[in-house]
Coordinates of all heavy atoms in Angstrom, one line a residue:
V864 N -14.1 2.7 62.3 CA -13.0 1.9 62.8 C -12.4 1.1 61.8 O -11.2 1.0 61.7 CB -13.5 1.1 64.1 CG1 -12.4 0.1 64.5 CG2 -13.9 2.0 65.2
W874 N -0.8 1.3 54.8 CA 0.4 1.9 55.1 C 1.5 0.9 55.5 O 2.6 1.1 55.3 CB 0.2 3.0 56.1 CG -0.3 4.3 55.4 CD1 -0.5 4.5 54.1 CD2 -1.0 5.4 56.1 NE1 -1.1 5.8 53.9 CE2 -1.4 6.3 55.1 CE3 -1.1 5.8 57.5 CZ2 -2.0 7.5 55.5 CZ3 -1.7 6.9 57.8 CH2 -2.1 7.8 56.7
F876 N 1.5 -2.4 54.7 CA 2.0 -3.2 53.4 C 2.8 -2.4 52.5 O 3.5 -2.9 51.7 CB 0.7 -3.7 52.8 CG 1.0 -4.7 51.6 CD1 1.5 -5.9 51.8 CD2 0.7 -4.3 50.4 CE1 1.8 -6.7 50.8 CE2 0.9 -5.1 49.3 CZ 1.5 -6.3 49.5
A902 N 0.6 13.2 41.7 CA 0.2 14.6 41.5 C -0.6 14.6 40.1 O -1.5 15.5 40.0 CB 1.5 15.4 41.4
V909 N -8.4 18.7 41.9 CA -8.6 18.9 43.3 C -8.7 20.4 43.6 O -9.2 20.8 44.7 CB -7.4 18.3 44.2 CG1 -7.4 16.8 44.1 CG2 -6.1 18.9 43.8
V914 N -4.1 26.7 51.5 CA -3.1 27.3 52.4 C -2.1 28.1 51.6 O -2.1 28.0 50.3 CB -2.3 26.3 53.3 CG1 -3.3 25.4 54.1 CG2 -1.5 25.3 52.4
V920 N 5.3 24.5 49.5 CA 6.6 24.3 49.0 C 7.5 23.8 50.2 O 8.3 22.9 50.0 CB 7.2 25.6 48.5 CG1 8.7 25.5 48.2 CG2 6.5 26.1 47.3
L946 N 11.2 -3.6 59.9 CA 11.9 -2.8 60.8 C 11.7 -1.3 60.5 O 11.6 -0.5 61.4 CB 13.3 -3.2 60.9 CG 14.1 -2.8 62.2 CD1 13.5 -3.5 63.5 CD2 15.6 -3.4 62.2
P972 N 4.3 15.4 81.6 CA 5.2 14.3 82.2 C 4.9 12.9 81.4 O 5.8 12.1 81.2 CB 4.8 14.2 83.6 CG 4.4 15.7 83.9 CD 3.7 16.1 82.6
A981 N 10.2 5.0 74.1 CA 10.4 4.9 72.7 C 11.9 5.0 72.3 O 12.4 4.2 71.5 CB 9.6 5.9 71.9
Y992 N 20.6 -4.2 65.5 CA 20.6 -4.1 64.0 C 22.1 -3.8 63.6 O 22.6 -4.4 62.7 CB 19.8 -2.9 63.5 CG 19.8 -2.7 62.1 CD1 19.1 -3.6 61.2 CD2 20.6 -1.7 61.5 CE1 19.1 -3.4 59.8 CE2 20.6 -1.5 60.1 CZ 19.9 -2.4 59.3 OH 20.0 -2.2 57.9
P997 N 24.4 -2.9 58.0 CA 25.1 -1.6 57.9 C 24.4 -0.5 58.7 O 23.1 -0.3 58.5 CB 25.0 -1.3 56.4 CG 23.9 -2.2 55.9 CD 23.9 -3.4 56.7
L998 N 25.0 0.1 59.6 CA 24.4 1.1 60.5 C 24.0 2.3 59.6 O 23.0 3.0 60.1 CB 25.5 1.5 61.5 CG 24.9 2.5 62.7 CD1 23.8 1.9 63.4 CD2 26.1 2.9 63.6
V1016 N 5.5 19.8 62.1 CA 5.4 21.0 62.7 C 5.0 22.1 61.6 O 4.2 23.0 61.9 CB 6.8 21.4 63.3 CG1 6.8 22.9 63.8 CG2 7.1 20.5 64.5
A1021 N 0.5 25.3 58.8 CA -0.3 25.4 57.6 C -1.7 25.2 58.0 O -2.6 25.8 57.4 CB 0.2 24.5 56.6
V1038 N 8.3 16.7 42.7 CA 8.6 16.0 41.5 C 9.9 16.5 40.8 O 10.8 15.7 40.6 CB 7.4 16.1 40.4 CG1 7.9 15.5 39.1 CG2 6.2 15.3 41.0
A1046 N 18.8 12.6 38.3 CA 19.6 12.8 37.0 C 21.0 13.1 37.4 O 22.0 12.6 36.6 CB 19.1 14.0 36.3
R1056 N 13.0 0.3 31.1 CA 12.8 -1.1 31.3 C 11.6 -1.2 32.2 O 11.5 -2.2 32.9 CB 14.0 -1.7 32.0 CG 15.3 -1.6 31.2 CD 16.4 -2.4 31.8 NE 16.7 -2.0 33.1 CZ 17.6 -1.1 33.5 NH1 18.3 -0.4 32.5 NH2 17.9 -0.8 34.7
L1057 N 10.6 -0.3 32.2 CA 9.5 -0.3 33.0 C 8.7 -1.6 32.7 O 8.3 -2.0 31.6 CB 8.6 0.8 32.8 CG 7.3 0.9 33.7 CD1 7.7 1.1 35.2 CD2 6.5 2.1 33.3
A1060 N 5.9 -5.2 37.4 CA 6.2 -5.1 38.8 C 6.5 -3.6 39.2 O 6.0 -3.1 40.2 CB 7.4 -5.9 39.2
G1061 N 7.3 -2.9 38.3 CA 7.6 -1.5 38.6 C 6.4 -0.6 38.5 O 6.2 0.3 39.4
F1110 N 5.6 -11.8 53.3 CA 5.8 -11.7 51.9 C 7.3 -11.7 51.5 O 7.6 -11.9 50.4 CB 5.1 -10.4 51.3 CG 3.6 -10.6 51.4 CD1 2.9 -10.0 52.4 CD2 2.9 -11.2 50.4 CE1 1.5 -10.1 52.5 CE2 1.5 -11.3 50.4 CZ 0.8 -10.8 51.5
F1135 N -3.1 7.5 74.4 CA -4.2 7.2 75.2 C -4.4 8.0 76.4 O -5.5 8.3 76.8 CB -4.1 5.7 75.6 CG -4.4 4.8 74.4 CD1 -3.2 4.2 73.7 CD2 -5.6 4.6 73.8 CE1 -3.4 3.4 72.6 CE2 -5.8 3.8 72.7 CZ -4.7 3.1 72.1
R1142 N -11.2 13.7 77.2 CA -12.5 13.4 77.6 C -12.8 14.1 79.0 O -13.9 14.6 79.2 CB -12.6 11.9 77.9 CG -12.7 11.1 76.6 CD -12.8 9.6 76.8 NE -13.1 8.8 75.6 CZ -13.1 7.5 75.6 NH1 -12.8 6.8 76.7 NH2 -13.3 6.9 74.5
L1146 N -16.1 17.3 79.9 CA -17.1 16.9 80.9 C -17.9 18.2 81.2 O -17.3 19.2 81.5 CB -16.6 16.3 82.1 CG -16.1 14.8 82.0 CD1 -15.5 14.3 83.3 CD2 -17.2 13.9 81.5
E1148 N -19.9 21.0 83.2 CA -19.9 21.5 84.6 C -21.1 21.2 85.2 O -22.2 21.1 84.7 CB -19.6 23.0 84.6 CG -18.3 23.4 84.0 CD -17.1 23.0 84.9 OE1 -17.4 22.9 86.1 OE2 -16.0 22.8 84.4
P1149 N -21.1 20.8 86.6 CA -22.3 20.6 87.3 C -23.2 21.8 87.4 O -22.7 22.9 87.4 CB -21.8 20.2 88.7 CG -20.4 20.8 88.8 CD -19.9 20.8 87.4

Side-chain angles (χ1 to χ4, degrees):
V864 168
W874 285 346
F876 184 68
V909 298
V914 301
V920 173
L946 202 57
Y992 181 78
L998 186 59
V1016 174
V1038 171
R1056 302 190 302 271
L1057 182 64
F1110 293 97
F1135 289 103
R1142 286 178 173 175
L1146 287 176
E1148 294 292 331

